[in-house]
Amino acid sequence: MNDIRPLKDIVDINERFSILPFTALILTALAIAAFIYFKKKKAEEKTYAPPMPAEEIAREALKALKEKKLIEKGLIKDFYIGLSDIIRTYIENRYRIFAMDRTTWELFQEMKSKRIERQHVDKINYFLEDCDMVKFAKYTPDQKEVEDIYKKAEEIIDITTPKIIT
């Protein structure tokens, strides 16, 4: 019976475990985690630039199209396709209307149903019909017509840009 030992006496523990250092450690860890989280979140917010307004995007696209010098290269049809695409993209961004995969007539009807100002709708429609003549009907415009269509594109963007009231 040497393998069974007798019970030991009860020992009084006078020292109390202090919860203060443990709490301070937990709070410090939470503060560090919160600091890292908000620092990362703030860095992510800085990397995102606010979206450019539709009119700025369209103006830059017009400028880029002009810099390609398609007219000088004799690529008038490509120039008109580019103009049409820029204005259609602008309409999509400005009015939230799907314009790229619609015919000019379908787009005209959609813009009228959205209660867009009739003067603007008409200008856009006439512009796109002029582009369609070159794109699909093999019409070859003269130099003055090419200059005028570019000015009409700029005018469409100018008149449809929302006015900021200060």
Side-chain angles (χ1 to χ4, degrees):
M1 290 221 146
N2 287 340
D3 63 338
I4 300 177
R5 297 184 186 163
L7 295 175
K8 293 189 177 185
D9 290 337
I10 299 174
V11 178
D12 285 336
I13 299 176
N14 292 334
E15 296 178 24
R16 297 195 72 183
F17 176 71
S18 179
I19 199 161
L20 186 61
F22 181 70
T23 305
L25 181 65
I26 295 289
L27 289 175
T28 304
L30 286 173
I32 291 170
F35 176 77
I36 291 170
Y37 172 77
F38 287 113
K39 188 86 169 171
K40 262 188 177 180
K41 190 172 183 177
K42 190 173 183 179
E44 287 175 1
E45 288 175 0
K46 288 182 180 178
T47 60
Y48 298 116
M52 286 177 44
E55 56 275 2
E56 285 183 33
I57 295 169
R59 285 188 182 106
E60 285 183 12
L62 283 174
K63 183 179 175 186
L65 181 67
K66 197 172 199 177
E67 289 172 356
K68 288 182 181 179
K69 300 189 184 283
L70 295 174
I71 301 300
E72 289 83 357
K73 295 176 185 174
L75 302 171
I76 294 172
K77 182 176 178 179
D78 292 339
F79 180 75
Y80 272 73
I81 290 170
L83 276 178
S84 176
D85 288 348
I86 290 167
I87 294 301
R88 285 176 178 269
T89 302
Y90 171 71
I91 291 167
E92 281 189 0
N93 293 336
R94 169 72 176 88
Y95 296 112
R96 306 289 185 239
I97 296 173
F98 294 110
M100 294 304 286
D101 295 330
R102 291 192 172 158
T103 65
T104 300
W105 176 252
E106 290 170 339
L107 182 57
F108 176 67
Q109 295 300 320
E110 178 72 15
M111 288 190 300
K112 281 190 345 187
S113 72
K114 293 281 186 176
R115 300 185 192 268
I116 299 170
E117 194 172 325
R118 182 61 188 236
Q119 172 189 352
H120 299 170
V121 173
D122 288 340
K123 277 192 182 286
I124 293 168
N125 187 49
Y126 295 142
F127 172 84
L128 292 175
E129 284 177 348
D130 288 345
C131 288
D132 289 347
M133 289 294 291
V134 175
K135 288 167 45 178
F136 304 117
K138 298 183 181 182
Y139 174 72
T140 306
D142 61 25
Q143 186 64 32
K144 179 161 178 23
E145 287 176 301
V146 173
E147 291 170 5
D148 288 345
I149 197 77
Y150 188 85
K151 289 176 186 173
K152 286 180 185 177
E154 291 177 321
E155 184 181 326
I156 287 170
I157 295 167
D158 290 340
I159 66 171
T160 57
T161 299
K163 307 297 184 248
I164 299 173
I165 300 170
T166 56

